[in-house]
């Protein structure tokens, strides 16, 4: 009830201290124009002092070179700790360990360790015969290569491949036991979803840091597609809010910022102080949400 009073009684976003830590996720660009958009986004968000930014990794290493290039550039030129995604898909342990060593030698100290999705054409994930079977094994293997900081994935609404919620929590605990630093959740749209998951994780003996993953909606159709793949529930009220905005991108962006900011405000009221934003290589929505949560560019007292 105290959380509810904090969320409902105070004026909208009033008096937030900006005492949050944020991180941002990008994907490797396919073209020079997309590369410029990514770099512009990094430069827009870097004054907010993120704990780290991460760059995703395609199935089977399909974006390996582009991921490496962007991670190293961000780490070197933007002065932000950069994390590289690594997956288990279609690679041997030796191949993955080699990539990890290359990252370490390039100054990258943080890896996001993921099992990964099945490659195109495969309905279900199948471990490589000579590879890491899952993210827990990958985490342990990375720790054997170098003392990486390691983030892993968590699923508040249960991973689609998990037998049930208890088995999914057991898998998360194995990742922490293998050396994970933190877990970043799949995106969700109801704060209670995160709070229930956090409580269940603690009851299951998981006391590591769990960071909510926030997905500002760039395209409602795209979010519907992604949600279907990862098992995220989309509240019925969201469809109504985005209805009729397909041809009005500016209005759609305002609605998206409002929804995501209110989600973050309610998470903040419940004690959350760390947020991870899935930017889709667009900075303005994430920047606006951070601003409403009281975060300002470092050294800027405005």
């Amino acid at each position: 009830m105290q959380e509810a009073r904090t969320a409902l009684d105070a004026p909208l976003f009033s008096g937030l201290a900006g005492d949050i830590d944020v991180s941002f996720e990008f994907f490797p660009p396919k073209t020079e124009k997309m590369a410029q958009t990514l770099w512009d986004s990094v430069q827009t968000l870097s004054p907010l002092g993120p704990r780290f930014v991460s760059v995703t990794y395609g199935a089977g290493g399909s974006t390996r070179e582009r991921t490496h290039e962007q991670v190293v550039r961000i780490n070197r030129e933007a002065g932000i700790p950069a994390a590289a995604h690594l997956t288990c898909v279609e690679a041997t342990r030796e191949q993955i360990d080699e990539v990890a060593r290359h990252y370490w030698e390039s100054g990258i100290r943080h890896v996001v360790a993921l099992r990964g999705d099945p490659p195109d054409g495969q309905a279900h994930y199948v471990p490589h015969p000579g590879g890491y079977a899952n993210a827990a094994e990958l985490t342990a293997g990375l720790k054997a290569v170098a003392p990486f900081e390691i983030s892993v994935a968590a699923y508040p609404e249960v991973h689609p491949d998990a037998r049930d919620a208890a088995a999914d929590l057991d898998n998360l605990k194995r990742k922490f036991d293998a050396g994970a630093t933190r877990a970043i959740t799949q995106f969700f749209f109801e704060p209670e979803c995160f709070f229930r998951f956090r409580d269940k994780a603690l009851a299951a003996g998981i006391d590591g840091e769990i960071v909510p993953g926030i997905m500002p909606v760039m395209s409602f159709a795209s979010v519907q597609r992604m949600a279907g793949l990862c098992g995220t529930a989309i509240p019925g009220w969201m469809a109504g809010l985005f209805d009729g905005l397909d041809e009005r991108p500016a209005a759609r962006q305002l609605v998206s910022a409002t929804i995501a900011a209110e989600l973050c405000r309610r998470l903040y009221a419940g004690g959350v102080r760390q947020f991870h934003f899935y930017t889709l290589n667009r900075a303005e929505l994430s920047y606006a949400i951070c601003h409403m949560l009281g975060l300002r560019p470092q050294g800027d007292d405005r």
Side-chain angles (χ1 to χ4, degrees):
M1 290 304 298
Q2 181 59 43
E3 292 173 2
R5 283 192 292 271
T6 302
L8 298 175
D9 293 348
L12 186 64
F13 298 103
S14 172
L16 299 186
D19 56 340
I20 62 172
D21 292 315
V22 297
S23 52
F24 304 106
E25 182 171 301
F26 303 99
F27 62 83
K30 295 180 180 179
T31 66
E32 287 299 320
K33 183 178 180 180
M34 292 172 69
Q36 187 58 52
T37 298
L38 167 58
W39 191 245
D40 290 345
S41 296
V42 170
Q43 291 184 309
T44 296
L45 295 168
S46 63
L48 298 178
R51 290 201 291 178
F52 63 90
V53 301
S54 66
V55 181
T56 62
Y57 189 78
S62 58
T63 64
R64 179 179 299 169
E65 296 302 324
R66 286 183 279 129
T67 297
H68 182 270
E69 177 185 346
Q70 296 302 325
V71 168
V72 171
R73 184 185 183 193
I74 292 169
N75 203 59
R76 181 182 299 147
E77 297 182 29
I80 306 171
H85 287 219
L86 269 178
T87 74
C88 305
V89 180
E90 293 194 324
T92 66
R93 291 174 179 243
E94 290 76 16
Q95 289 170 327
I96 293 173
D97 291 353
E98 181 181 357
V99 172
R101 281 191 291 270
H102 193 33
Y103 275 127
W104 188 265
E105 291 164 1
S106 299
I108 305 303
R109 299 292 182 260
H110 186 174
V111 172
V112 180
L114 306 167
R115 189 202 70 178
D117 297 322
D120 290 341
Q122 293 185 14
H124 303 286
Y125 172 79
V126 178
H128 189 286
Y132 292 110
N134 51 51
E137 285 192 8
L138 176 59
T139 297
L142 291 171
K143 283 291 190 180
V145 170
F148 285 106
E149 177 181 352
I150 296 180
S151 296
V152 296
Y155 292 81
E157 294 168 273
V158 185
H159 191 284
D161 292 345
R163 185 178 67 251
D164 53 34
D168 204 27
L169 282 173
D170 287 343
N171 185 54
L172 179 59
K173 188 173 189 305
R174 284 193 294 271
K175 289 188 274 190
F176 274 109
D177 291 345
T181 309
R182 73 180 56 79
I184 300 170
T185 76
Q186 182 58 266
F187 66 91
F188 56 92
F189 295 109
E190 297 280 13
E192 293 80 8
C193 175
F194 177 80
F195 293 135
R196 286 193 298 266
F197 178 73
R198 187 179 62 179
D199 291 346
K200 290 177 181 177
L202 189 60
I206 300 169
D207 57 4
E209 178 184 335
I210 299 178
V211 180
I214 308 299
M215 173 76 82
V217 178
M218 304 292 181
S219 161
F220 187 65
S222 295
V223 165
Q224 284 180 304
R225 185 170 56 254
M226 288 186 284
L229 294 173
C230 64
T232 294
I234 297 181
W237 52 261
M238 277 188 68
L241 287 176
F242 284 103
D243 185 39
L245 297 181
D246 289 345
E247 305 303 322
R248 296 182 177 276
R252 186 175 66 238
Q253 190 170 35
L254 288 172
V255 171
S256 178
T258 301
I259 291 171
E262 178 62 8
L263 170 62
C264 291
R265 184 176 79 98
R266 293 173 67 187
L267 291 170
Y268 184 95
V272 174
R273 294 296 181 270
Q274 288 83 32
F275 298 87
H276 182 78
F277 292 92
Y278 298 108
T279 71
L280 301 179
N281 291 14
R282 302 286 181 177
E284 293 304 321
L285 276 176
S286 296
Y287 190 100
I289 296 161
C290 291
H291 183 89
M292 284 190 277
L293 290 171
L295 190 61
R296 298 293 183 271
Q298 293 188 353
D300 188 346
D301 296 327
R302 289 176 292 174

